Amino acid sequence: MTPKQTENLFALTTPLYYVNDVPHVGSAYTTMAADAVARFQRLQGKSVLLITGTDEHGQKIQRTAEALNRSPQEHCDQIVSSFESLWDKLDIQYDRFSRTTASRHADIVKEFFGRLWDKGDIYLSQQQGWYCVACEEFKEERELISEKYCPIHTNKPVEWRDEENYFFRLSKYQQQLEALYQERPEFLEPESRRNEILSFIGQGLQDFSISRLNLEWGFPVPVDPKQTIYVWFDALLGYVTALLDSDQEPTLENALSQWWPINLHLIGKDILRFHAISWPALLMSADLPLPGRIFGHGFLTKDGKKMGKSLGNTLDPVALVSQFGSDAVRYYFLKEIEFGQDGDFNLTRFVNTLNADLANDLGNLLNRTLKMVHKYFDGRVPEVNLAAMAEDHPLKSYGQTLGKTVAQGYENLAFSQICEAILNLVQAGNKYIDEQAPWSLYKQGKLDLVKSVLYSVLESVRLAAYLLSPITPNLSNRIYNQLGFSIDFNDKTTIETALPYETHAQWGVLPADQRLAEPQPVFLRLELPETLSS
Ligand SMILES: Nc1ncnc2c1ncn2[C@@H]1O[C@H](COP(=O)(O)OP(=O)(O)OP(=O)(O)O)[C@@H](O)[C@H]1O
């Protein structure tokens, strides 16, 4: 296999979402995080491949389609379009949308199955156990709630299964998996998830079935077409199929030639075992290198329960975006729920956070400063001697190190800390301008001081807008435009050259004499609605 050709590539994935229903804010959560990482990596000059898509096979989808009187394919097509349209509304810049019903995916799955078969890692045996169709997963009896529900889907009882299936020899990879987690602790984050998986592996891994009888909706097992390939076997390989260019022959060699191994899989903790145990073991069996890193984040909850399509307790992201805009939704979820932890949604907190952080602290600071620059300096960035500014200047000293801190935050997927660190600069800007009172300095004729104060505040707002741009690209665009730049954070073809991190994440980038636009509110205050409507 050709190793990854250059360090300059960064491939990442969201889960391929089940199409049992339209997406909800939970599906959006992982995708917004993935998009923020992808945008940050582009600013770092990387060529990025952001993969999202849909998992369309299996009993869960077949039953959903039957209940709606649609053919499974027709059903999948309808739901897929709602995912695509939500990603557009949320400004998600994905590069590949992988559908597991694509014919090229069938070729990849067949070839992969063949590798494992030739290795002797697949065999026929009897499968007995409790199956949760909503998870598409067998459950241990001890995991069940009231003896019949899986811990997540407490509205759909598990079903007893007793059938002959093909099995994958997971147990053979027990030691290799243990070694993986010992040698590469960063393979799975956060630490709490890694501990959970280590304890699961420590109990002893069992082989698992990778085919189903009496299920039409899926790919036939290549060696026995009466059986259908298990949805998760096929879904995980959707990440590999997505790596093919549209004009490439669907072979494993082609798929793995450029972007493999994928750098980062972002998932929710519900699908942790599939990614942290089954996926590396399947890849080990196929003699393929493993992905760089998996991050299993927490759940958005409603009344303490995971929001989900199967439970039906979801929040409609389309309604949220229509009412408040995509930046607001992206900022709120990434800032207010620590990535890795669970968090409940609260509409009042949503409105208050956005008004406080983006409308007041950031937006007003820019607005009032711009007004003064228009009044005192004819709307041009005042010229200052940056080198002469004291090293302990509160904005300069913080601004000089912020780019590094924030880059570390994006690498660590610490979105909440990133927002806090940027907000600290903005709040320091507000405090500084109030203390310095440039309007009084102007009256006293201290023009050099006025210039220095206004420049350092504008530069702080610029830096904040730049560093926030992976999370709030439209707000950052508006701020940059008011500061006189004609650069588009949403143009991923030019961003690498027009807005490189190594330059724009520094302090002192705003060019003297640059003409500023007329001040306009960059983030309108939100009103608390009585209800959310689509
Ligand atoms: N409540 C949630 N909080 C955070 N992420 C979620 C949530 N619900 C879904 N996700 C994201 O979607 C992935 C699961 O996708 P899936 O299509 O199974 O959605 P689902 O709504 O959980 O479906 P179901 O309720 O039928 O299990 C998770 O791993 C996570 O990435």
Side-chain angles (χ1 to χ4, degrees), residues 158-181:
V158 290
E159 298 172 15
W160 180 250
R161 293 288 158 85
D162 185 356
E163 59 183 45
E164 197 168 54
N165 287 158
Y166 286 90
F167 279 69
F168 170 66
R169 284 187 208 285
L170 179 65
S171 56
K172 183 176 155 187
Y173 294 93
Q174 167 101 23
Q175 279 176 0
Q176 262 176 271
L177 286 167
E178 280 168 351
L180 164 70
Y181 281 104

PDB file of all heavy atoms in Angstrom, residues 158-181:
ATOM      1  N   VAL A 158     -35.691  -4.828  22.693  1.00  0.00           N
ATOM      2  CA  VAL A 158     -34.761  -5.654  21.917  1.00  0.00           C
ATOM      3  C   VAL A 158     -35.500  -6.910  21.429  1.00  0.00           C
ATOM      4  O   VAL A 158     -36.553  -7.264  21.944  1.00  0.00           O
ATOM      5  CB  VAL A 158     -33.528  -6.051  22.769  1.00  0.00           C
ATOM      6  CG1 VAL A 158     -32.653  -4.846  23.031  1.00  0.00           C
ATOM      7  CG2 VAL A 158     -33.951  -6.717  24.078  1.00  0.00           C
ATOM      8  N   GLU A 159     -34.946  -7.564  20.417  1.00  0.00           N
ATOM      9  CA  GLU A 159     -35.605  -8.740  19.819  1.00  0.00           C
ATOM     10  C   GLU A 159     -34.666  -9.941  19.937  1.00  0.00           C
ATOM     11  O   GLU A 159     -33.462  -9.794  19.773  1.00  0.00           O
ATOM     12  CB  GLU A 159     -35.900  -8.461  18.335  1.00  0.00           C
ATOM     13  CG  GLU A 159     -36.843  -7.285  18.155  1.00  0.00           C
ATOM     14  CD  GLU A 159     -36.986  -6.863  16.675  1.00  0.00           C
ATOM     15  OE1 GLU A 159     -36.592  -7.650  15.780  1.00  0.00           O
ATOM     16  OE2 GLU A 159     -37.505  -5.753  16.450  1.00  0.00           O
ATOM     17  N   TRP A 160     -35.247 -11.124  20.172  1.00  0.00           N
ATOM     18  CA  TRP A 160     -34.416 -12.330  20.278  1.00  0.00           C
ATOM     19  C   TRP A 160     -34.063 -12.833  18.882  1.00  0.00           C
ATOM     20  O   TRP A 160     -34.914 -12.904  18.001  1.00  0.00           O
ATOM     21  CB  TRP A 160     -35.170 -13.413  21.065  1.00  0.00           C
ATOM     22  CG  TRP A 160     -34.360 -14.666  21.204  1.00  0.00           C
ATOM     23  CD1 TRP A 160     -34.590 -15.864  20.592  1.00  0.00           C
ATOM     24  CD2 TRP A 160     -33.200 -14.857  22.004  1.00  0.00           C
ATOM     25  NE1 TRP A 160     -33.642 -16.781  20.949  1.00  0.00           N
ATOM     26  CE2 TRP A 160     -32.755 -16.190  21.823  1.00  0.00           C
ATOM     27  CE3 TRP A 160     -32.450 -14.025  22.855  1.00  0.00           C
ATOM     28  CZ2 TRP A 160     -31.626 -16.705  22.458  1.00  0.00           C
ATOM     29  CZ3 TRP A 160     -31.330 -14.550  23.484  1.00  0.00           C
ATOM     30  CH2 TRP A 160     -30.924 -15.867  23.285  1.00  0.00           C
ATOM     31  N   ARG A 161     -32.807 -13.157  18.675  1.00  0.00           N
ATOM     32  CA  ARG A 161     -32.363 -13.693  17.377  1.00  0.00           C
ATOM     33  C   ARG A 161     -31.667 -15.028  17.593  1.00  0.00           C
ATOM     34  O   ARG A 161     -30.911 -15.178  18.558  1.00  0.00           O
ATOM     35  CB  ARG A 161     -31.363 -12.744  16.700  1.00  0.00           C
ATOM     36  CG  ARG A 161     -31.912 -11.424  16.259  1.00  0.00           C
ATOM     37  CD  ARG A 161     -32.828 -11.572  15.047  1.00  0.00           C
ATOM     38  NE  ARG A 161     -33.709 -10.413  14.985  1.00  0.00           N
ATOM     39  CZ  ARG A 161     -33.390  -9.265  14.414  1.00  0.00           C
ATOM     40  NH1 ARG A 161     -32.218  -9.135  13.846  1.00  0.00           N
ATOM     41  NH2 ARG A 161     -34.249  -8.267  14.406  1.00  0.00           N
ATOM     42  N   ASP A 162     -31.945 -15.948  16.669  1.00  0.00           N
ATOM     43  CA  ASP A 162     -31.300 -17.254  16.713  1.00  0.00           C
ATOM     44  C   ASP A 162     -31.158 -17.709  15.267  1.00  0.00           C
ATOM     45  O   ASP A 162     -32.114 -18.214  14.683  1.00  0.00           O
ATOM     46  CB  ASP A 162     -32.192 -18.219  17.529  1.00  0.00           C
ATOM     47  CG  ASP A 162     -31.519 -19.566  17.710  1.00  0.00           C
ATOM     48  OD1 ASP A 162     -30.415 -19.770  17.154  1.00  0.00           O
ATOM     49  OD2 ASP A 162     -32.101 -20.416  18.418  1.00  0.00           O
ATOM     50  N   GLU A 163     -30.005 -17.444  14.660  1.00  0.00           N
ATOM     51  CA  GLU A 163     -29.856 -17.765  13.237  1.00  0.00           C
ATOM     52  C   GLU A 163     -28.398 -18.030  12.896  1.00  0.00           C
ATOM     53  O   GLU A 163     -27.493 -17.650  13.649  1.00  0.00           O
ATOM     54  CB  GLU A 163     -30.410 -16.624  12.362  1.00  0.00           C
ATOM     55  CG  GLU A 163     -29.735 -15.286  12.582  1.00  0.00           C
ATOM     56  CD  GLU A 163     -30.344 -14.152  11.745  1.00  0.00           C
ATOM     57  OE1 GLU A 163     -31.578 -14.050  11.686  1.00  0.00           O
ATOM     58  OE2 GLU A 163     -29.561 -13.363  11.171  1.00  0.00           O
ATOM     59  N   GLU A 164     -28.227 -18.701  11.759  1.00  0.00           N
ATOM     60  CA  GLU A 164     -26.863 -18.985  11.324  1.00  0.00           C
ATOM     61  C   GLU A 164     -26.323 -17.757  10.590  1.00  0.00           C
ATOM     62  O   GLU A 164     -26.961 -17.237   9.674  1.00  0.00           O
ATOM     63  CB  GLU A 164     -26.864 -20.186  10.384  1.00  0.00           C
ATOM     64  CG  GLU A 164     -25.494 -20.783  10.218  1.00  0.00           C
ATOM     65  CD  GLU A 164     -25.535 -22.142   9.526  1.00  0.00           C
ATOM     66  OE1 GLU A 164     -26.113 -22.231   8.422  1.00  0.00           O
ATOM     67  OE2 GLU A 164     -24.976 -23.103  10.089  1.00  0.00           O
ATOM     68  N   ASN A 165     -25.164 -17.277  11.025  1.00  0.00           N
ATOM     69  CA  ASN A 165     -24.568 -16.063  10.417  1.00  0.00           C
ATOM     70  C   ASN A 165     -23.083 -16.275  10.185  1.00  0.00           C
ATOM     71  O   ASN A 165     -22.478 -17.154  10.786  1.00  0.00           O
ATOM     72  CB  ASN A 165     -24.691 -14.871  11.366  1.00  0.00           C
ATOM     73  CG  ASN A 165     -26.101 -14.313  11.494  1.00  0.00           C
ATOM     74  OD1 ASN A 165     -26.403 -13.657  12.474  1.00  0.00           O
ATOM     75  ND2 ASN A 165     -26.972 -14.569  10.550  1.00  0.00           N
ATOM     76  N   TYR A 166     -22.516 -15.407   9.367  1.00  0.00           N
ATOM     77  CA  TYR A 166     -21.061 -15.371   9.241  1.00  0.00           C
ATOM     78  C   TYR A 166     -20.504 -14.497  10.359  1.00  0.00           C
ATOM     79  O   TYR A 166     -21.080 -13.457  10.688  1.00  0.00           O
ATOM     80  CB  TYR A 166     -20.644 -14.824   7.870  1.00  0.00           C
ATOM     81  CG  TYR A 166     -20.900 -15.861   6.797  1.00  0.00           C
ATOM     82  CD1 TYR A 166     -22.121 -15.912   6.138  1.00  0.00           C
ATOM     83  CD2 TYR A 166     -19.935 -16.820   6.505  1.00  0.00           C
ATOM     84  CE1 TYR A 166     -22.384 -16.893   5.196  1.00  0.00           C
ATOM     85  CE2 TYR A 166     -20.191 -17.809   5.559  1.00  0.00           C
ATOM     86  CZ  TYR A 166     -21.416 -17.849   4.909  1.00  0.00           C
ATOM     87  OH  TYR A 166     -21.669 -18.829   3.997  1.00  0.00           O
ATOM     88  N   PHE A 167     -19.407 -14.965  10.928  1.00  0.00           N
ATOM     89  CA  PHE A 167     -18.782 -14.258  12.054  1.00  0.00           C
ATOM     90  C   PHE A 167     -17.398 -13.749  11.675  1.00  0.00           C
ATOM     91  O   PHE A 167     -16.696 -14.378  10.885  1.00  0.00           O
ATOM     92  CB  PHE A 167     -18.621 -15.205  13.260  1.00  0.00           C
ATOM     93  CG  PHE A 167     -19.875 -15.351  14.062  1.00  0.00           C
ATOM     94  CD1 PHE A 167     -20.976 -16.018  13.536  1.00  0.00           C
ATOM     95  CD2 PHE A 167     -19.957 -14.821  15.350  1.00  0.00           C
ATOM     96  CE1 PHE A 167     -22.146 -16.159  14.273  1.00  0.00           C
ATOM     97  CE2 PHE A 167     -21.123 -14.948  16.085  1.00  0.00           C
ATOM     98  CZ  PHE A 167     -22.216 -15.616  15.546  1.00  0.00           C
ATOM     99  N   PHE A 168     -17.013 -12.655  12.297  1.00  0.00           N
ATOM    100  CA  PHE A 168     -15.648 -12.137  12.161  1.00  0.00           C
ATOM    101  C   PHE A 168     -14.879 -12.503  13.440  1.00  0.00           C
ATOM    102  O   PHE A 168     -15.389 -12.320  14.550  1.00  0.00           O
ATOM    103  CB  PHE A 168     -15.669 -10.607  11.981  1.00  0.00           C
ATOM    104  CG  PHE A 168     -14.303  -9.982  12.079  1.00  0.00           C
ATOM    105  CD1 PHE A 168     -13.328 -10.243  11.124  1.00  0.00           C
ATOM    106  CD2 PHE A 168     -13.973  -9.156  13.148  1.00  0.00           C
ATOM    107  CE1 PHE A 168     -12.050  -9.698  11.232  1.00  0.00           C
ATOM    108  CE2 PHE A 168     -12.711  -8.598  13.257  1.00  0.00           C
ATOM    109  CZ  PHE A 168     -11.747  -8.881  12.288  1.00  0.00           C
ATOM    110  N   ARG A 169     -13.648 -12.995  13.242  1.00  0.00           N
ATOM    111  CA  ARG A 169     -12.853 -13.452  14.395  1.00  0.00           C
ATOM    112  C   ARG A 169     -12.265 -12.269  15.165  1.00  0.00           C
ATOM    113  O   ARG A 169     -11.054 -12.049  15.149  1.00  0.00           O
ATOM    114  CB  ARG A 169     -11.675 -14.307  13.919  1.00  0.00           C
ATOM    115  CG  ARG A 169     -12.044 -15.687  13.507  1.00  0.00           C
ATOM    116  CD  ARG A 169     -10.802 -16.531  13.208  1.00  0.00           C
ATOM    117  NE  ARG A 169     -11.125 -17.541  12.238  1.00  0.00           N
ATOM    118  CZ  ARG A 169     -11.829 -18.636  12.498  1.00  0.00           C
ATOM    119  NH1 ARG A 169     -12.262 -18.874  13.722  1.00  0.00           N
ATOM    120  NH2 ARG A 169     -12.098 -19.514  11.539  1.00  0.00           N
ATOM    121  N   LEU A 170     -13.118 -11.548  15.843  1.00  0.00           N
ATOM    122  CA  LEU A 170     -12.628 -10.404  16.630  1.00  0.00           C
ATOM    123  C   LEU A 170     -11.679 -10.879  17.740  1.00  0.00           C
ATOM    124  O   LEU A 170     -10.681 -10.227  18.044  1.00  0.00           O
ATOM    125  CB  LEU A 170     -13.834  -9.654  17.231  1.00  0.00           C
ATOM    126  CG  LEU A 170     -13.504  -8.460  18.103  1.00  0.00           C
ATOM    127  CD1 LEU A 170     -12.833  -7.359  17.286  1.00  0.00           C
ATOM    128  CD2 LEU A 170     -14.759  -7.898  18.772  1.00  0.00           C
ATOM    129  N   SER A 171     -12.007 -12.012  18.340  1.00  0.00           N
ATOM    130  CA  SER A 171     -11.214 -12.493  19.491  1.00  0.00           C
ATOM    131  C   SER A 171      -9.732 -12.666  19.126  1.00  0.00           C
ATOM    132  O   SER A 171      -8.862 -12.476  19.967  1.00  0.00           O
ATOM    133  CB  SER A 171     -11.780 -13.801  20.017  1.00  0.00           C
ATOM    134  OG  SER A 171     -11.834 -14.743  18.966  1.00  0.00           O
ATOM    135  N   LYS A 172      -9.486 -12.962  17.853  1.00  0.00           N
ATOM    136  CA  LYS A 172      -8.097 -13.148  17.405  1.00  0.00           C
ATOM    137  C   LYS A 172      -7.288 -11.849  17.574  1.00  0.00           C
ATOM    138  O   LYS A 172      -6.067 -11.884  17.660  1.00  0.00           O
ATOM    139  CB  LYS A 172      -8.155 -13.553  15.926  1.00  0.00           C
ATOM    140  CG  LYS A 172      -6.855 -13.860  15.269  1.00  0.00           C
ATOM    141  CD  LYS A 172      -7.096 -14.334  13.836  1.00  0.00           C
ATOM    142  CE  LYS A 172      -5.903 -14.083  12.944  1.00  0.00           C
ATOM    143  NZ  LYS A 172      -6.195 -14.392  11.535  1.00  0.00           N
ATOM    144  N   TYR A 173      -7.967 -10.717  17.593  1.00  0.00           N
ATOM    145  CA  TYR A 173      -7.266  -9.414  17.618  1.00  0.00           C
ATOM    146  C   TYR A 173      -7.198  -8.793  19.011  1.00  0.00           C
ATOM    147  O   TYR A 173      -6.802  -7.637  19.156  1.00  0.00           O
ATOM    148  CB  TYR A 173      -7.911  -8.462  16.593  1.00  0.00           C
ATOM    149  CG  TYR A 173      -7.655  -9.006  15.201  1.00  0.00           C
ATOM    150  CD1 TYR A 173      -8.585  -9.833  14.577  1.00  0.00           C
ATOM    151  CD2 TYR A 173      -6.437  -8.787  14.563  1.00  0.00           C
ATOM    152  CE1 TYR A 173      -8.321 -10.410  13.343  1.00  0.00           C
ATOM    153  CE2 TYR A 173      -6.157  -9.358  13.339  1.00  0.00           C
ATOM    154  CZ  TYR A 173      -7.103 -10.168  12.742  1.00  0.00           C
ATOM    155  OH  TYR A 173      -6.812 -10.746  11.532  1.00  0.00           O
ATOM    156  N   GLN A 174      -7.634  -9.569  20.010  1.00  0.00           N
ATOM    157  CA  GLN A 174      -7.617  -9.065  21.392  1.00  0.00           C
ATOM    158  C   GLN A 174      -6.259  -8.466  21.762  1.00  0.00           C
ATOM    159  O   GLN A 174      -6.171  -7.321  22.209  1.00  0.00           O
ATOM    160  CB  GLN A 174      -7.971 -10.239  22.322  1.00  0.00           C
ATOM    161  CG  GLN A 174      -7.704 -10.012  23.783  1.00  0.00           C
ATOM    162  CD  GLN A 174      -8.969  -9.655  24.550  1.00  0.00           C
ATOM    163  OE1 GLN A 174     -10.071  -9.964  24.125  1.00  0.00           O
ATOM    164  NE2 GLN A 174      -8.812  -8.970  25.663  1.00  0.00           N
ATOM    165  N   GLN A 175      -5.200  -9.226  21.551  1.00  0.00           N
ATOM    166  CA  GLN A 175      -3.881  -8.743  22.002  1.00  0.00           C
ATOM    167  C   GLN A 175      -3.405  -7.552  21.176  1.00  0.00           C
ATOM    168  O   GLN A 175      -2.835  -6.610  21.711  1.00  0.00           O
ATOM    169  CB  GLN A 175      -2.858  -9.866  21.917  1.00  0.00           C
ATOM    170  CG  GLN A 175      -2.974 -10.770  23.112  1.00  0.00           C
ATOM    171  CD  GLN A 175      -2.039 -11.961  23.042  1.00  0.00           C
ATOM    172  OE1 GLN A 175      -1.290 -12.122  22.079  1.00  0.00           O
ATOM    173  NE2 GLN A 175      -2.108 -12.785  24.062  1.00  0.00           N
ATOM    174  N   GLN A 176      -3.685  -7.631  19.880  1.00  0.00           N
ATOM    175  CA  GLN A 176      -3.266  -6.499  19.032  1.00  0.00           C
ATOM    176  C   GLN A 176      -3.993  -5.218  19.439  1.00  0.00           C
ATOM    177  O   GLN A 176      -3.428  -4.130  19.406  1.00  0.00           O
ATOM    178  CB  GLN A 176      -3.562  -6.806  17.564  1.00  0.00           C
ATOM    179  CG  GLN A 176      -2.343  -7.316  16.814  1.00  0.00           C
ATOM    180  CD  GLN A 176      -2.694  -7.705  15.398  1.00  0.00           C
ATOM    181  OE1 GLN A 176      -3.057  -8.841  15.154  1.00  0.00           O
ATOM    182  NE2 GLN A 176      -2.607  -6.770  14.466  1.00  0.00           N
ATOM    183  N   LEU A 177      -5.253  -5.358  19.821  1.00  0.00           N
ATOM    184  CA  LEU A 177      -6.002  -4.166  20.254  1.00  0.00           C
ATOM    185  C   LEU A 177      -5.458  -3.643  21.582  1.00  0.00           C
ATOM    186  O   LEU A 177      -5.311  -2.432  21.782  1.00  0.00           O
ATOM    187  CB  LEU A 177      -7.503  -4.469  20.364  1.00  0.00           C
ATOM    188  CG  LEU A 177      -8.229  -4.591  19.024  1.00  0.00           C
ATOM    189  CD1 LEU A 177      -9.614  -5.185  19.199  1.00  0.00           C
ATOM    190  CD2 LEU A 177      -8.348  -3.216  18.349  1.00  0.00           C
ATOM    191  N   GLU A 178      -5.147  -4.582  22.470  1.00  0.00           N
ATOM    192  CA  GLU A 178      -4.576  -4.140  23.756  1.00  0.00           C
ATOM    193  C   GLU A 178      -3.265  -3.400  23.518  1.00  0.00           C
ATOM    194  O   GLU A 178      -3.015  -2.350  24.112  1.00  0.00           O
ATOM    195  CB  GLU A 178      -4.335  -5.349  24.668  1.00  0.00           C
ATOM    196  CG  GLU A 178      -5.613  -5.806  25.337  1.00  0.00           C
ATOM    197  CD  GLU A 178      -5.488  -7.167  26.015  1.00  0.00           C
ATOM    198  OE1 GLU A 178      -4.447  -7.858  25.839  1.00  0.00           O
ATOM    199  OE2 GLU A 178      -6.443  -7.542  26.707  1.00  0.00           O
ATOM    200  N   ALA A 179      -2.465  -3.931  22.613  1.00  0.00           N
ATOM    201  CA  ALA A 179      -1.166  -3.289  22.314  1.00  0.00           C
ATOM    202  C   ALA A 179      -1.402  -1.920  21.688  1.00  0.00           C
ATOM    203  O   ALA A 179      -0.724  -0.941  22.026  1.00  0.00           O
ATOM    204  CB  ALA A 179      -0.361  -4.175  21.367  1.00  0.00           C
ATOM    205  N   LEU A 180      -2.389  -1.837  20.808  1.00  0.00           N
ATOM    206  CA  LEU A 180      -2.709  -0.543  20.179  1.00  0.00           C
ATOM    207  C   LEU A 180      -2.988   0.514  21.241  1.00  0.00           C
ATOM    208  O   LEU A 180      -2.443   1.624  21.212  1.00  0.00           O
ATOM    209  CB  LEU A 180      -3.937  -0.705  19.260  1.00  0.00           C
ATOM    210  CG  LEU A 180      -4.639   0.579  18.838  1.00  0.00           C
ATOM    211  CD1 LEU A 180      -3.770   1.372  17.860  1.00  0.00           C
ATOM    212  CD2 LEU A 180      -5.994   0.282  18.182  1.00  0.00           C
ATOM    213  N   TYR A 181      -3.830   0.162  22.214  1.00  0.00           N
ATOM    214  CA  TYR A 181      -4.210   1.167  23.211  1.00  0.00           C
ATOM    215  C   TYR A 181      -3.062   1.485  24.174  1.00  0.00           C
ATOM    216  O   TYR A 181      -3.019   2.576  24.737  1.00  0.00           O
ATOM    217  CB  TYR A 181      -5.480   0.729  23.950  1.00  0.00           C
ATOM    218  CG  TYR A 181      -6.674   1.010  23.076  1.00  0.00           C
ATOM    219  CD1 TYR A 181      -7.339   0.002  22.390  1.00  0.00           C
ATOM    220  CD2 TYR A 181      -7.097   2.316  22.879  1.00  0.00           C
ATOM    221  CE1 TYR A 181      -8.403   0.278  21.547  1.00  0.00           C
ATOM    222  CE2 TYR A 181      -8.153   2.609  22.048  1.00  0.00           C
ATOM    223  CZ  TYR A 181      -8.808   1.589  21.388  1.00  0.00           C
ATOM    224  OH  TYR A 181      -9.840   1.891  20.545  1.00  0.00           O
TER     225      TYR A 181
END
